[in-house]
Amino acid sequence: PIDPALDWETALRTLSQPDVTEIETEVREQQARDSADAPAMFRDNLPPVIAAGVVEARFDLRSLLDGELTGLTERSRFEDALRTYSTTSDDGRRTLGARASLFADGEFGEGNRLTLRLDSEEDRRARFFNDIRPEDGFYSLLGDGSASGYSAQSKGRLFGRWSRGASYGQFGDFATASGAYGTAGPRALGEYSRTLNGWLQHYETDRVRVDAFASRDRARQGIDEFPGRGFSGPYPLSRAEGLLNSETVELVTRDRNQPGVVLSTARLQRYADYTIEPFSGRIIFKRPVPPTDENFNPITIRVQYEVETGGDKYWVGGASAQAKIGERLEVGGGLLRDDNPNGRFDLSSVNATLDLGNGTTLSSEYARADSAATEAGGAYRIELRHGSDRINTRLFFLQTDSLFANPSS
């Protein structure tokens, strides 16, 4: 058994969910020449139940008619007007509005946790993953040890999350390529990266992981990739009207002799590594982005974001599953459908990974993409990896049809 009084070396892996309440770690105890590993789970010290709400009503009375309010907007007042649930007299001089909001978070029953946020007033300026932003003029109180943040992120009026152990169901903002859906299994050709608002479901046991999501919106995906130029910016995006906080910014290092081979990918953090100007759509980094690494491999900046298209809303949905068969084999697959009326997109994939022992794995994957712009195309890959203290080796074979097109792969 591990003695907690000994010095511990911990390697933490934070779960990439917007609402982090658990951290998985591997704890290593080392004393003299003896060592031992043990899995551990840490939980945030959250209160059992917390609930807060507000109910308000406003009555506006003015002497000017609507036609006499030239040059004024709905924000030309001390407070924003309540618009979602309101009524106005025929002459526009009297307006009555009401609003109710609720936030609740806590344990309900043994092992169940529920987070709920509801606001009757629609915020037209809401953005994805709404959080505290430096430009809002928020400053922590010096000497205050409390932490501030958002635990119910949704650009809509509703957020809900139920969790039990490692499984959960959530309605709100989520990223398909960071979280359970994007990390379940060795999907490279069948990857799908979007920032959406809708339903996300995750079920996990020791041997099975199942994920599904569905969203109904009118945004579409935009992807830009341009080389680093040795300075911090600005780097203009192709679409200035991208939705704020929907972006995923990565530094991609490619093999100088084989540009199709990605050597490494580093995901950057908003505000810590870069900022985006909301009106011009230009990205500025905190430090210069070099054109190559120390081995002269080219470095590019890859930005994925959502763009509001207008028109009718449409559905986007997908599901994936991974299962362990025995101790060495893992198989899985995924399905995706994007019903964008301007360009429908279907994606399916299957994969398998075999653990050969001694740090060696053999993996394979087949994906098929079908879109309204092109005919269906397929791609497959086989990859052999070996990792040890002295050597890391990667052998792979990749072949794609000329019609295969998956921007996220």
Side-chain angles (χ1 to χ4, degrees):
I2 295 181
D3 184 358
L6 300 176
D7 293 334
W8 294 37
E9 177 187 349
T10 61
L12 300 181
R13 181 176 66 85
T14 304
L15 299 179
S16 58
Q17 298 299 323
D19 182 17
V20 178
T21 58
E22 299 179 345
I23 296 178
E24 294 180 358
T25 103
E26 183 182 85
V27 180
R28 168 167 295 183
E29 171 205 354
Q30 186 168 1
Q31 185 182 32
R33 297 182 179 179
D34 298 329
S35 63
D37 295 338
M41 176 73 75
F42 292 90
R43 297 177 179 268
D44 286 349
N45 187 21
L46 299 175
V49 177
I50 181 173
V54 60
V55 177
E56 62 174 318
R58 275 188 60 173
F59 178 69
D60 294 342
L61 179 64
R62 62 174 186 255
S63 59
L64 297 178
L65 300 176
D66 285 341
E68 299 172 326
L69 296 176
T70 305
L72 298 181
T73 65
E74 63 179 22
R75 301 199 65 195
S76 300
R77 58 191 74 202
F78 290 107
E79 296 181 1
D80 291 350
L82 300 177
R83 295 292 185 182
T84 304
Y85 295 97
S86 64
T87 179
T88 304
S89 61
D90 294 338
D91 58 7
R93 292 182 176 181
R94 296 176 299 276
T95 301
L96 177 64
R99 174 202 175 199
S101 61
L102 169 69
F103 172 78
D105 180 49
E107 295 183 359
F108 296 87
E110 184 177 357
N112 297 296
R113 189 166 195 92
L114 178 65
T115 303
L116 177 65
R117 178 183 67 80
L118 176 64
D119 196 333
S120 64
E121 186 71 15
E122 182 180 2
D123 186 0
R124 301 176 183 177
R125 297 163 294 162
R127 58 180 68 179
F128 281 107
F129 301 113
N130 200 14
D131 53 12
I132 296 173
R133 301 181 292 274
E135 67 267 22
D136 288 344
F138 176 85
Y139 297 97
S140 302
L141 181 65
L142 297 179
D144 184 9
S146 62
S148 300
Y150 281 72
S151 60
Q153 295 177 319
S154 175
K155 71 184 184 74
R157 294 184 292 174
L158 173 66
F159 176 92
R161 179 185 174 96
W162 167 85
S163 60
R164 180 179 178 87
S167 303
Y168 62 86
Q170 173 183 307
F171 185 89
D173 296 341
F174 62 92
T176 62
S178 64
Y181 182 82
T183 57
R187 285 197 306 274
L189 300 175
E191 182 63 85
Y192 184 73
S193 179
R194 292 287 301 275
T195 300
L196 302 171
N197 178 270
W199 179 258
L200 175 66
Q201 182 70 47
H202 174 71
Y203 172 77
E204 181 176 348
T205 65
D206 293 340
R207 307 191 69 84
V208 176
R209 295 191 302 271
V210 180
D211 299 276
F213 74 90
S215 175
R216 189 169 185 266
D217 211 331
R218 55 174 58 93
R220 70 173 182 84
Q221 185 183 43
I223 299 178
D224 292 333
E225 186 167 353
F226 34 82
R229 300 187 179 95
F231 54 84
S232 59
Y235 293 87
L237 301 178
S238 61
R239 302 292 296 270
E241 66 273 22
L243 298 179
L244 294 177
N245 284 17
S246 67
E247 78 279 353
T248 299
V249 181
E250 298 173 322
L251 296 183
V252 181
T253 304
R254 302 180 182 274
D255 190 289
R256 61 182 180 180
N257 299 316
Q258 303 180 71
V261 177
V262 176
L263 300 178
S264 65
T265 301
R267 178 167 296 185
L268 304 184
Q269 182 70 30
R270 185 175 62 251
Y271 302 127
D273 300 314
Y274 69 91
T275 57
I276 291 184
E277 298 176 348
F279 299 106
S280 64
R282 301 188 304 176
I283 182 171
I284 301 176
F285 295 92
K286 298 295 184 180
R287 58 185 61 86
V289 179
T292 63
D293 64 3
E294 64 276 8
N295 296 319
F296 301 103
N297 295 307
I299 297 177
T300 60
I301 304 167
R302 180 180 172 91
V303 185
Q304 303 182 53
Y305 54 97
E306 301 295 319
V307 180
E308 189 74 40
T309 60
D312 297 332
K313 293 183 177 181
Y314 61 91
W315 285 100
V316 178
S320 68
Q322 294 291 134
K324 293 182 178 180
I325 302 177
E327 298 299 326
R328 295 182 178 273
L329 179 62
E330 180 175 335
V331 297
L335 294 172
L336 182 281
R337 184 176 182 88
D338 185 340
D339 284 332
N340 188 340
N342 297 323
R344 181 186 54 81
F345 180 70
D346 294 321
L347 179 66
S348 59
S349 66
V350 292
N351 63 78
T353 300
L354 178 64
D355 185 359
L356 302 178
N358 298 323
T360 304
T361 59
L362 176 65
S363 61
S364 62
E365 181 185 15
Y366 174 79
R368 182 177 178 84
D370 185 9
S371 66
T374 62
E375 298 179 3
Y380 66 92
R381 66 179 181 89
I382 300 175
E383 183 175 9
L384 179 66
R385 283 180 177 266
H386 174 76
S388 63
D389 296 337
R390 294 185 177 182
I391 186 173
N392 290 316
T393 305
R394 176 174 178 256
L395 301 176
F396 69 94
F397 175 81
L398 172 66
Q399 182 172 339
T400 65
D401 296 341
S402 59
L403 298 176
F404 179 80
N406 178 16
S408 299
S409 64

